[in-house]
Amino acid sequence: EPEVTQTPSHQVTQMGQEVILRCVPISNHLYFYWYRQILGQKVEFLVSFYNNEISEKSEIFDDQFSVERPDGSNFTLKIRSTKLEDSAMYFCASSGQRNEKLFFGSGTQLSVL
Amino acid sequence: EDQVTQSPEALRLQEGESSSLNCSYTVSGLRGLFWYRQDPGKGPEFLFTLYSAGEEKEKERLKATLTKKESFLHITAPKPEDSATYLCAVHYSSASKIIFGSGTRLSIRP
């Protein structure tokens, strides 16, 4: 069964550094998403992406964050100048139709020290 | 204001003891209500989508139902492997995104 793949599974970084989280969505999906989950809290929407453009973004997704689809298979989330409060599990998801049946990856656990 | 509220926060059942999880929503213009299962350290795994009041979906020991204000996830004769956090999520007309509830942590004792 096709699946969403995320790398790395764990990322430790120093405060102020930049990180790039990588995702390979399901190959025939057109809609891509990033969510995050701080330990013990809700899964929170960050951004959705379609046709090489951001479709929707949350208040969390400020200028510190950016997304890119650099080639036909990868979808990345860049976090610049990381802060302690950016520590969370970051999930990538994809879907064949907008906001329908999202398939999630296993996540990248980001720890900012 | 919470738009998706799940209850209870945690539920411990004996194997074989049936029960229901609740998801209430206050959004208008519901376009889809989703149930996901999340195991520790993993991403949410899709279970069901419900679109309109009165709709029901079933999968193995799980059945999801929907009214105009809430959804229930019924678990019949659960097994220990059903232990997980069950998440409810909604997509509604004034938001181009899916938002999640806090989840119910379900634990099934053998």
Side-chain angles (χ1 to χ4, degrees), chain A residues 3-82:
Chain A
E3 60 180 20
V4 175
T5 305
Q6 290 186 244
T7 55
S9 56
H10 293 85
Q11 175 85 54
V12 180
T13 190
Q14 295 292 322
M15 191 169 54
Q17 296 297 304
E18 175 181 287
V19 295
I20 298 177
L21 311 184
R22 292 182 165 79
C23 170
V24 178
I26 292 173
S27 61
N28 62 346
H29 283 180
L30 300 176
Y31 300 89
F32 314 115
Y33 314 83
W34 284 101
Y35 282 79
R36 78 174 186 188
Q37 188 173 30
I38 295 170
L39 186 63
Q41 297 187 24
K42 292 184 182 184
V43 175
E44 297 178 288
F45 171 80
L46 291 178
V47 66
S48 59
F49 190 86
Y50 169 73
N51 199 27
N52 283 320
E53 290 184 345
I54 290 175
S55 306
E56 180 82 18
K57 59 183 182 178
S58 72
E59 309 77 42
I60 303 167
F61 195 90
D62 59 20
D63 293 342
Q64 185 193 4
F65 295 87
S66 61
V67 289
E68 190 178 30
R69 189 155 163 82
D71 53 43
S73 60
N74 290 284
F75 180 50
T76 62
L77 174 68
K78 182 188 290 185
I79 309 175
R80 287 178 284 275
S81 189
T82 49

